[in-house]
Amino acid sequence: MLKLKIVKTLVIASAVSLATATGALAFPDKSVEYIIPFGPGGESDISARFQQPYFKDKFGQDLVVSYKPGGGGAVGWAQLNSMTADGHTIMGINLPHIVIQPAQKDVGYTTDDIHTFYMFHYTPDAIVVPADSPYTTLDDLIADAKANPGALTMSGSGKATANHLAQIRFDKMAGIKTTYVPFKGTGASTTAALGKQVKAQWGYTTVGAAQGDAVRMLAVAMEERHPLFPDVPTFKELGFDMVGGAYRGMAVPKDTPAEAVKALSDAFGEINADEAFRKQMLDGGFALLDVGIDGMVDFMKARKAEYIEAATEAGLLN
């Protein structure tokens, strides 16, 4: 009987060793819940849905998308660190949201509470006008703003958002004064611009992708021109050092083991490197970003300093 037990133990140990060597026990070993702290249909949801089939194909596990909306994402982020910390629960995060929200008031979390492990894309800021707008270039818009301080109205998605901070930064760089008109979401902001309720919009390249010939983008906040819009110049080309927009990535509860965090970072990095995925994102107007766990501290430090400076200058912080 003792000999039989020893044999069984050796067989089990060998099987575990073999499974480990072949990757069968590699992380993740079950489905991963991907919580979006907003309602369905937005850009965070769209990009998560893009990632789903690639995750399943590459790692053999489901990426299960669920929603926890409220407070512009704050409800979900405030609860993140109370969730299961085994690497199989992740949550979408957005910048500048997780910097500006806790800087303005108590929202149940701080920026440092959020353990971001990967930033995989951003929607570049862009100045958008209707196709029949008299502004055919960025210089046209700047000239009007200088001639009529405050009269040039620009819609955007909410207060203290990427759109709002872009407007503040650009006005300072260009030496102009425009009037920012916040709307609840990019869709409403776009509708206002197309309906001539405002003269222009602080939107994103995704607006250009969605609206097509109905709009004209005057400039995009990217290092290089977006491949979907080769005729639209970057702000940098035109003399304004502006690169950025609404950044999106993923975070885990802070007690998640380091090896699981690293595995998740590597997994989403592999998805981001897939040419088919990259094309799908670019065709949607997104811009790819590849910041894994190893580069996250420096990335977040730079973004935080940039956002806090702009928000402070604009009087958006108490």
Side-chain angles (χ1 to χ4, degrees):
M1 180 65 71
L2 178 60
K3 185 177 180 180
L4 181 60
K5 287 182 177 179
I6 292 173
V7 170
K8 286 183 176 180
T9 300
L10 289 173
V11 169
I12 292 171
S14 297
V16 170
S17 177
L18 178 61
T20 302
T22 60
L25 293 184
F27 181 87
D29 57 3
K30 61 180 181 179
S31 62
V32 172
E33 184 180 14
Y34 190 168
I35 303 167
I36 303 298
F38 305 100
E43 289 167 331
S44 295
D45 182 35
I46 290 169
S47 52
R49 296 294 180 180
F50 283 172
Q51 290 169 317
Q52 272 184 310
Y54 293 91
F55 192 89
K56 177 71 171 181
D57 180 62
K58 293 177 183 296
F59 311 111
Q61 300 294 342
D62 290 320
L63 193 62
V64 182
V65 176
S66 61
Y67 309 96
K68 189 179 286 292
V75 170
W77 296 320
Q79 296 178 28
L80 176 59
N81 286 334
S82 66
M83 296 178 181
T84 304
D86 64 355
H88 293 89
T89 299
I90 66 176
M91 185 176 289
I93 64 96
N94 293 47
L95 290 172
H97 302 56
I98 64 169
V99 171
I100 297 299
Q101 285 182 355
Q104 288 183 312
K105 60 183 179 181
D106 182 2
V107 287
Y109 74 92
T110 67
T111 302
D112 292 340
D113 287 336
I114 307 298
H115 190 5
T116 304
F117 67 86
Y118 204 86
M119 298 295 296
F120 72 102
H121 86 268
Y122 71 105
T123 41
D125 289 314
I127 292 182
V128 185
V129 296
D132 61 353
S133 168
Y135 306 136
T136 59
T137 66
L138 188 62
D139 281 344
D140 292 340
L141 182 143
I142 292 172
D144 187 27
K146 286 185 174 179
N148 303 283
L152 200 164
T153 52
M154 303 187 72
S155 64
S157 178
K159 292 182 178 180
T161 59
N163 290 160
H164 196 182
L165 296 182
Q167 181 256 352
I168 293 165
R169 290 180 63 207
F170 183 71
D171 275 14
K172 182 179 179 181
M173 288 181 182
I176 60 176
K177 179 177 176 56
T178 62
T179 298
Y180 182 79
V181 184
F183 287 83
K184 192 174 182 180
T186 302
S189 169
T190 302
T191 298
L194 291 174
K196 310 295 177 66
Q197 297 176 45
V198 293
K199 293 185 176 181
Q201 175 191 18
W202 272 105
Y204 302 112
T205 48
T206 48
V207 175
Q211 299 300 323
D213 293 340
V215 299
R216 177 189 305 126
M217 290 193 296
L218 304 183
V220 297
M222 299 177 66
E223 290 286 354
E224 299 178 351
R225 295 190 181 196
H226 196 292
L228 198 61
F229 311 105
D231 297 329
V232 179
T234 66
F235 282 100
K236 293 189 78 168
E237 285 180 65
L238 301 175
F240 303 99
D241 189 14
M242 283 191 64
V243 175
Y247 293 86
R248 294 181 181 86
M250 293 146 285
V252 289
K254 64 181 179 181
D255 292 331
T256 302
E259 58 271 20
V261 176
K262 176 63 174 170
L264 283 166
S265 178
D266 291 346
F268 283 97
E270 186 173 333
I271 292 172
N272 236 39
D274 190 292
E275 287 303 320
F277 176 77
R278 296 180 77 84
K279 184 178 186 306
Q280 190 174 14
M281 291 290 286
L282 290 171
D283 286 349
F286 297 100
L288 277 298
L289 189 69
D290 299 289
V291 182
I293 188 63
D294 294 338
M296 194 57 64
V297 171
D298 289 343
F299 176 83
M300 286 297 298
K301 182 179 179 180
R303 298 288 79 71
K304 184 175 181 179
E306 173 187 312
Y307 296 142
I308 293 298
E309 178 183 359
T312 301
E313 287 184 3
L316 298 175
L317 305 182
N318 295 330

